Amino acid sequence: MTVHNRTSFLDRVAENLGRERRTKVKPPVYSVQPQDRVFQGATQDELIEKLEAQCRVIHTSFERTTQSGLADTLKKVFASFEGSKKVISAGGPRLDEFGVRGIYEELAEEGFDLRIWNDQEGDVAFAEQAGVGVVFSDITLAESGTVTLFNDSDNGRSISLLPETFIAIIPKSTLVPRMTQAARVIHEQEQKGNPVSSCVSFITGPSNSADIEMNLIVGVHGPVKATYILVDDL
């Protein structure tokens, strides 16, 4: 992404504030940081237990499997969605790392209409008609049951937004306690100069709203069902 006229714009802002432009800012260090104490010292297995419990709260189905068992688990979840044969999936290297591409080939032989997102014309239109969207979580927040998606050319936002249902494949290695650690991971990558997606999506189960009298309504403006598949990759 190219940013135009940033320096001149910030110089003008600093001038109107009556000071020099600050190019290096150190974040404040607080004497009390309760956000770091939530689930502090929890093991990955303990975080899985927290995640599974939270899935019940956010109306999300939870499955746990190994990499070798992912094929059977994925097929079982597809079957539970009652005939949704049109599937759009995120692409990228994890399709091969977790053997998902081979699973898709088997499902195609069984009559599934599968499309791998590659940021080409027709991807969004296909997602609009798809019954299922499949994504991989980049960072998973145990406290809230939230999957973090780094949206890019292999992982369009439409995959988890437009289909009626969505599946998040969650590598065990991506589990962190809460948003505190997720934000820290993203910040550290940025500080190292590693490219970070310009769009990061935080998704917590199926779409829902509690705007009216705080009554939770599920499935109001996006996927009406969600399934998390925790894969032990450690």
Side-chain angles (χ1 to χ4, degrees), residues 64-124:
R64 184 175 181 180
T65 187
T66 61
Q67 286 190 239
S68 61
L70 179 57
D72 289 338
T73 303
L74 199 53
K75 290 177 182 178
K76 181 180 74 173
V77 173
F78 278 135
S80 72
F81 288 152
E82 299 177 354
S84 297
K85 295 279 189 177
K86 205 176 186 75
V87 179
I88 187 159
S89 170
R94 285 177 294 188
L95 282 182
D96 296 307
E97 290 173 13
F98 287 84
V100 175
R101 196 182 301 276
I103 299 170
Y104 287 165
E105 291 173 358
E106 293 179 22
L107 290 171
E109 294 177 358
E110 296 175 13
F112 280 81
D113 185 6
L114 290 139
R115 184 182 181 108
I116 307 299
W117 186 280
N118 57 6
D119 201 24
Q120 291 188 356
E121 184 177 355
D123 282 350
V124 173

Side-chain angles (χ1 to χ4, degrees), residues 9 20 22 28-29 42 69 77 96 111 122 138 146 148 151 164 200 228 233:
F9 171 77
E20 294 183 354
R22 297 168 183 169
V29 178
V77 173
D96 296 307
D138 292 294
T146 301
T148 307
N151 298 119
E164 182 180 356
V200 179
Y228 291 172
D233 65 330

Side-chain angles (χ1 to χ4, degrees), residues 35 95 115 118 151 154 162 167 175 185 207:
Q35 70 273 19
L95 282 182
R115 184 182 181 108
N118 57 6
N151 298 119
D154 290 321
L162 297 182
I167 298 170
L175 275 172
V185 168
S207 65

Side-chain angles (χ1 to χ4, degrees), residues 39 47 50-51 54 137 139-148 170 174-183 202 204 228:
F39 300 158
L47 290 179
K50 299 291 185 182
L51 175 64
Q54 183 62 20
S137 180
I139 309 173
T140 309
L141 286 54
E143 179 187 41
S144 57
T146 301
V147 295
T148 307
I170 300 175
T174 67
L175 275 172
V176 298
R178 66 198 309 265
M179 180 66 76
T180 302
Q181 290 75 27
F202 295 95
T204 306
Y228 291 172

